[in-house]
């Protein structure tokens, strides 16, 4: 607990950092202040400081600035300082525009509304139960509720019309908030639990249908506020007096939790989840020190405290089942670890086969993680590191600041799963088939690397892989995978534009548009959809908006095949010139010379939205990119290209 003197010192440090426009220091000190203080005055102070630092947060910390409009039927103003603060702590700067109280229908339907004119990046739709399905409490009062299903269906239909109309005129991402299950009703606890048409059951059903609706709307996420309220206690989630007096939907003590929930829910619309969890072994994956206690002495299995570690192992296995890569990073003897996994197999929730890689040695863990990043062709910002040793955790924080660090609570191992699940690192609104196949693909990548070491020249090696590229519509990739690639691909991404689902659909349907995905397989397995190109032909010029490829398949000629395919489609659409754009970032240097390497020349006459854009052009009447001979191509022969449709196989 901070003393008042300590609080004032921290506030003074934040003020000085804000005055000098030192964003990193301001955010770092604010974290310390808010870690133990939830006083409204401290939250408002941080929010005010962050508002003054808006440009510095973007330029120095690469915070994402989002024009955010709040559509509401409740009072939201007292919560805004918490929302502003929590957004900055998650590296967002929200430029907030608050819609009129209760004017949500006009805002979502009227093409001239304040919402439409604001042209937001993100929209929060925060409605209360009585505004979504106001008749439900009365219909459920007798527990019989003959008209409950009809009311739910009609309510969801009304919301679907609002969302559909808004989506038709805007590509903004949408967060739609569900309803909190009322804590007290006229049926009482017994009736609510036993009668089939209780209000509790009705609101559960309503939320499920609203979530399904959100899944059907592009770039829309459902915010399960009831789950959050239940975690913190529904009885204390809403202050009845304040709600009746001012329509404030959340008690002041829950402002922080509510704001964190909002930020966590919309983040998957803008950021891809991290891909790798690196776990320590001793006092993390199991209890005790293997080198001192031997395989039989480590704590794991069904008896306490071993079951605390077994729960963690099972949680990791569940992460692995949806595509999160697991790796071991441990200072230990490799032979001892393998013996432990063999001897204690019945007491462990996973096997070594669940891990994509193991770094078991006496090397520094920062070195091991760097090696893993290189072997997996992933950025360090894809990694999460879990370790019980505070010295090791601090070393990673300092040496590899991009890596997220979780300190395992060695004295309270039962809290580790709760601690890990409370973090947003692996949050995803969509899980694709490519995610599910990720472990097998990275293991296949290791086999390719082994083959590369024994092959003769490069062409011989690549031919031996028997690579097949299948071109298909980005809409059929499926679309969720195409948008996922746009969100998370950094190294081989020529413009790093993070287009929304609606924007990809627009490329697919606009006159002269192309939205092409490429799926890759070889003798070792199916890598899935790994590349994407977006382009548009106007007159005789085909302009490439985005061209990107997963880093794990770079260097096999697939990027050339994708460019060649796009160029051939452009020629069929009447283009005589191909224009490519490169926007340099800290991570995409591997593709800086991509266009020059493919015969393009710099084009100083073109201009783009980004001041850093570099343009290149290629005369398609005299030269055109050709796919490497070692690739087998699919999806070319049957393509039907028209100026108003995407190229699809």
């Amino acid at each position: 607990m901070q003393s008042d003197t300590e609080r004032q010192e921290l506030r003074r440090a934040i003020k000085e950092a804000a005055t000098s426009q030192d964003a990193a220091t301001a955010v770092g000190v604010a974290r310390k202040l808010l870690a133990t203080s939830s006083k409204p005055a401290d939250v408002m102070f941080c929010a005010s400081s962050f508002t003054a630092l808006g440009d510095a947060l973007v330029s120095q910390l690469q915070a994402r600035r989002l024009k955010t409009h709040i559509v509401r039927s409740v009072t939201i103003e007292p919560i805004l300082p918490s929302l502003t603060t929590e957004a900055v702590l998650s590296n967002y700067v929200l430029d907030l525009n608050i819609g009129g109280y209760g004017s949500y229908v006009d805002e979502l339907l009227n093409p001239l509304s304040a919402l439409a004119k604001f042209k937001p990046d993100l929209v929060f739709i925060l409605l209360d139960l009585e505004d979504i399905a106001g008749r439900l409490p009365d219909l459920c009062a007798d527990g019989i509720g003959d008209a409950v299903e009809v009311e739910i269906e009609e309510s969801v239909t009304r919301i679907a019309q609002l969302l559909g109309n808004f989506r038709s005129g805007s590509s903004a991402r949408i967060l739609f908030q569900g309803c909190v299950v009322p804590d007290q009703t006229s049926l009482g606890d017994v009736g609510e639990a036993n009668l089939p048409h209780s209000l509790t059951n009705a609101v559960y059903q309503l939320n499920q249908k609203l979530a399904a609706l959100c899944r059907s709307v592009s770039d829309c996420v459902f915010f399960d506020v009831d789950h959050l309220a239940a975690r913190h206690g529904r009885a204390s989630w809403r202050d009845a007096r304040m709600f009746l007096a001012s329509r404030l939907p959340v008690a002041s003590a829950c402002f922080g939790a509510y704001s964190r929930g909002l930020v966590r829910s919309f983040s998957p619309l803008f950021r891809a989840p991290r891909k790798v969890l690196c776990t320590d072994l001793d006092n993390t994956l199991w209890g005790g020190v293997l080198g001192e206690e031997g395989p039989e002495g480590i704590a794991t299995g069904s008896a306490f405290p071993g079951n605390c570690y077994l729960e963690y192992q099972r949680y990791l296995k569940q992460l692995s089942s949806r595509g999160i890569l697991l790796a071991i990073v441990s200072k230990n003897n490799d032979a001892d670890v393998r013996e432990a996994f063999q001897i204690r197999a019945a007491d462990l929730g996973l096997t070594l086969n669940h891990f994509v890689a193991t770094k078991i040695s006496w090397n520094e863990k920062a070195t091991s993680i760097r090696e893993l990043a290189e072997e997996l062709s992933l950025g360090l910002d894809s990694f999460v590191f879990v370790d019980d040793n505070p010295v090791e955790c601090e070393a990673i924080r300092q040496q590899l600041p991009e890596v997220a660090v979780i300190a395992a609570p060695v004295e309270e191992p039962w809290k580790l799963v709760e601690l890990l699940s409370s973090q947003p690192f692996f949050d995803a609104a969509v899980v694709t088939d490519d995610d599910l196949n990720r472990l097998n693909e990275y293991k296949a990548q290791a086999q390719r690397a082994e083959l590369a070491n024994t092959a003769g020249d490069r062409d011989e090696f690549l031919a031996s892989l028997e690579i097949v590229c299948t071109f298909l519509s980005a809409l059929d990739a499926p679309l969720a995978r195409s948008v996922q690639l746009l969100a998370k691909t950094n190294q081989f991404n020529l413009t790093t534009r993070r287009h929304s689902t609606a924007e990809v659909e627009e490329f697919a349907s606009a006159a002269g548009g192309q939205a092409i995905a490429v799926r890759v397989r070889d003798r070792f397995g199916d890598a899935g959809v790994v590349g994407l190109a977006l382009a548009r032909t106007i007159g005789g010029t085909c302009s490439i908006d985005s061209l990107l490829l997963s880093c794990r398949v770079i260097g096999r000629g697939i990027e050339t095949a994708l460019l060649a395919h796009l160029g051939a489609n452009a020629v069929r659409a009447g283009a005589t010139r191909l224009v490519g754009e490169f926007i340099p970032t800290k991570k995409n240097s591997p593709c800086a010379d991509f266009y020059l390497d493919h015969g393009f020349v710099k084009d100083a006459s073109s201009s783009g939205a980004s001041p850093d854009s570099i343009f290149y052009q290629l005369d398609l009447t005299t030269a055109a990119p050709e796919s490497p001979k070692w690739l087998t191509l699919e999806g070319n022969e049957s393509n039907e290209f028209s100026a108003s449709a995407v190229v699809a196989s």
Side-chain angles (χ1 to χ4, degrees):
M1 188 71 178
Q2 293 170 344
S3 67
D4 190 61
T5 300
E6 291 171 329
R7 285 180 54 248
Q8 293 303 324
E9 285 297 323
L10 291 172
R11 288 177 59 142
R12 187 177 297 110
I14 294 170
K15 183 177 180 180
E16 291 174 355
T19 300
S20 62
Q21 292 291 287
D22 183 352
T25 298
V27 173
V29 178
R31 288 187 191 280
K32 293 180 182 178
L33 173 63
L34 298 174
T36 56
S37 172
S38 59
K39 292 184 176 181
D42 289 336
V43 175
M44 293 184 68
F45 178 81
C46 289
S48 177
S49 301
F50 290 157
T51 299
L53 278 166
D55 291 339
L57 290 164
V58 173
S59 61
Q60 296 172 26
L61 301 183
Q62 286 73 55
R64 184 153 191 167
R65 176 166 245 137
L66 297 173
K67 293 179 65 178
T68 305
H69 185 98
I70 299 180
V71 175
R72 45 66 177 269
S73 67
V74 292
T75 299
I76 194 69
E77 286 80 355
I79 304 173
L80 297 183
S82 289
L83 178 58
T84 296
T85 300
E86 292 298 336
V88 170
L89 295 181
S90 292
N91 217 27
Y92 294 100
V93 174
L94 302 185
D95 295 331
L96 291 168
N97 190 51
I98 313 304
Y101 174 86
S103 61
Y104 59 93
V105 173
D106 179 69
E107 289 186 36
L108 292 169
L109 293 181
N110 186 353
L112 299 178
S113 68
L115 167 59
K117 293 177 180 178
F118 185 59
K119 298 187 184 303
D121 303 304
L122 174 65
V123 175
F124 292 158
I125 301 178
L126 312 178
L127 308 179
D128 201 65
L129 174 61
E130 65 186 68
D131 303 293
I132 296 176
R135 297 176 62 228
L136 274 185
D138 288 342
L139 293 175
C140 295
D142 58 9
I144 300 172
D146 290 334
V148 168
E149 282 85 357
V150 173
E151 171 68 8
I152 291 173
E153 291 297 334
E154 290 180 350
S155 300
V156 173
T157 298
R158 287 193 296 270
I159 297 299
Q161 291 170 340
L162 292 175
L163 293 180
N165 184 83
F166 174 71
R167 172 53 74 232
S168 67
S170 174
S171 61
R173 273 75 158 181
I174 302 169
L175 178 147
F176 187 91
Q177 177 177 282
C179 301
V180 176
V181 173
D183 184 54
Q184 296 176 338
T185 72
S186 61
L187 289 177
D189 291 351
V190 176
E192 285 294 317
N194 289 274
L195 294 171
H197 288 100
S198 67
L199 184 58
T200 296
N201 288 337
V203 175
Y204 279 146
Q205 186 179 351
L206 174 65
N207 278 338
Q208 289 172 353
K209 290 184 177 295
L210 289 171
L213 170 62
C214 289
R215 288 193 295 271
S216 71
V217 177
S218 61
D219 298 310
C220 180
V221 66
F222 178 76
F223 173 37
D224 189 358
V225 68
D226 181 65
H227 182 76
L228 191 62
R231 180 182 297 154
H232 291 272
R234 292 195 187 100
S236 58
W237 184 254
R238 176 172 289 182
D239 183 324
R241 176 180 176 275
M242 292 303 297
F243 181 73
L244 293 172
S246 63
R247 295 280 292 180
L248 184 65
V250 179
S252 59
C254 297
F255 284 177
Y258 177 66
S259 298
R260 283 190 293 276
L262 284 170
V263 175
R264 183 170 181 176
S265 288
F266 79 68
S267 283
L269 294 171
F270 296 95
R271 292 179 185 157
R274 292 181 182 249
K275 298 177 183 177
V276 187
L277 185 146
C278 300
T279 183
D280 180 38
L281 295 177
D282 295 336
N283 287 318
T284 303
L285 192 72
W286 53 57
V289 178
L290 177 63
E292 297 176 0
E293 300 170 60
E296 298 292 353
I298 58 175
T300 185
S302 58
F304 185 85
N307 53 4
C308 301
Y309 299 97
L310 182 61
E311 286 297 302
Y312 174 56
Q313 296 157 24
R314 288 170 173 166
Y315 185 78
L316 295 190
K317 185 178 179 180
Q318 291 164 9
L319 289 178
S320 176
S321 70
R322 68 175 176 90
I324 304 303
L325 301 176
L326 306 180
I328 294 173
V329 177
S330 173
K331 289 183 177 178
N332 245 309
N333 290 324
D334 185 80
D336 292 347
V337 171
R338 295 184 183 281
E339 181 186 27
F341 270 92
Q342 183 177 9
I343 292 176
R344 299 298 300 275
D347 298 318
L348 291 166
L350 33 66
T351 70
L352 285 174
N353 287 331
H354 287 102
F355 295 92
V356 69
T358 58
K359 292 291 180 181
I360 304 167
S361 68
W362 298 100
N363 294 333
E364 291 300 317
K365 293 188 176 182
T367 301
S368 295
I369 294 175
R370 285 194 190 96
E371 291 174 351
L372 268 175
E374 184 175 351
E375 291 169 9
L376 298 174
S377 298
L378 292 173
L380 290 169
D381 57 358
S382 294
F383 286 76
V384 175
F385 174 70
V386 184
D387 198 302
D388 69 293
N389 189 324
V391 175
E392 298 285 6
C393 290
E394 185 60 27
I396 298 301
R397 290 190 187 101
Q398 292 189 16
Q399 296 177 49
L400 306 177
E402 306 95 327
V403 175
V405 177
I406 295 179
V410 65
E411 299 298 328
E412 299 174 306
W414 54 88
K415 290 186 176 181
L416 180 51
V417 170
E418 177 187 351
L419 179 62
L420 187 55
S421 64
S422 70
Q423 301 300 321
F425 304 132
F426 302 116
D427 286 348
V430 175
V431 177
T432 68
D433 289 342
D434 293 278
D435 294 326
L436 301 180
N437 191 48
R438 185 171 292 132
L439 176 59
N440 292 332
E441 167 55 21
Y442 276 96
K443 287 186 174 181
Q445 185 171 315
Q447 293 177 295
R448 296 184 193 102
E450 184 178 350
L451 177 62
N453 292 330
T454 60
D457 61 20
R458 175 176 177 270
D459 287 5
E460 176 188 339
F461 161 65
L462 292 171
S464 72
L465 291 178
E466 301 172 9
I467 303 171
V468 178
C469 296
T470 304
F471 299 102
L472 64 161
S473 165
L475 305 184
D476 299 328
L479 180 57
R481 172 59 177 167
S482 299
V483 177
Q484 186 184 67
L485 279 170
L486 283 162
K488 71 181 185 180
T489 306
N490 294 304
Q491 290 182 324
F492 197 97
N493 190 333
L494 287 153
T495 59
T496 61
R497 292 193 175 103
R498 311 302 191 185
H499 288 300
S500 67
T501 300
E503 289 166 337
V504 175
E505 290 175 327
E506 197 275 333
F507 270 98
S509 60
Q514 293 192 60
I516 305 167
V518 58
R519 187 178 193 95
V520 175
R521 67 181 189 272
D522 63 23
R523 58 185 281 199
F524 293 109
D526 191 336
V529 175
V530 294
L532 183 71
L534 303 176
R536 185 176 291 115
T537 298
I538 300 177
T541 299
C542 178
S543 299
I544 303 172
D545 175 274
S546 300
L547 195 151
L548 53 103
L549 192 70
S550 173
C551 53
R552 67 180 188 266
V553 295
I554 291 174
R556 301 181 201 171
I558 297 159
E559 57 273 34
T560 299
L562 182 57
L563 179 65
H565 187 77
L566 184 150
N569 291 333
V571 169
R572 286 198 287 273
T576 58
R577 188 172 76 126
L578 199 57
V579 174
E581 182 182 1
F582 175 67
I583 302 176
T585 69
K586 291 182 178 180
K587 296 183 179 180
N588 70 353
S589 57
C591 58
D593 295 328
F594 175 74
Y595 286 121
L596 291 176
D597 291 341
H598 288 81
F600 287 65
V601 295
K602 278 193 176 182
D603 180 11
S605 64
S606 297
S607 60
S610 169
D612 297 324
S613 293
I614 303 170
F615 289 92
Y616 301 87
Q617 66 169 319
L618 180 70
D619 186 346
L620 292 172
T621 64
T622 59
E626 295 184 358
S627 180
K629 295 180 180 179
W630 58 76
L631 299 178
T632 299
L633 307 180
E634 295 180 344
N636 283 334
E637 300 82 359
S638 60
N639 281 344
E640 294 181 2
F641 182 86
S642 69
S644 62
V646 70
V647 177
S649 58

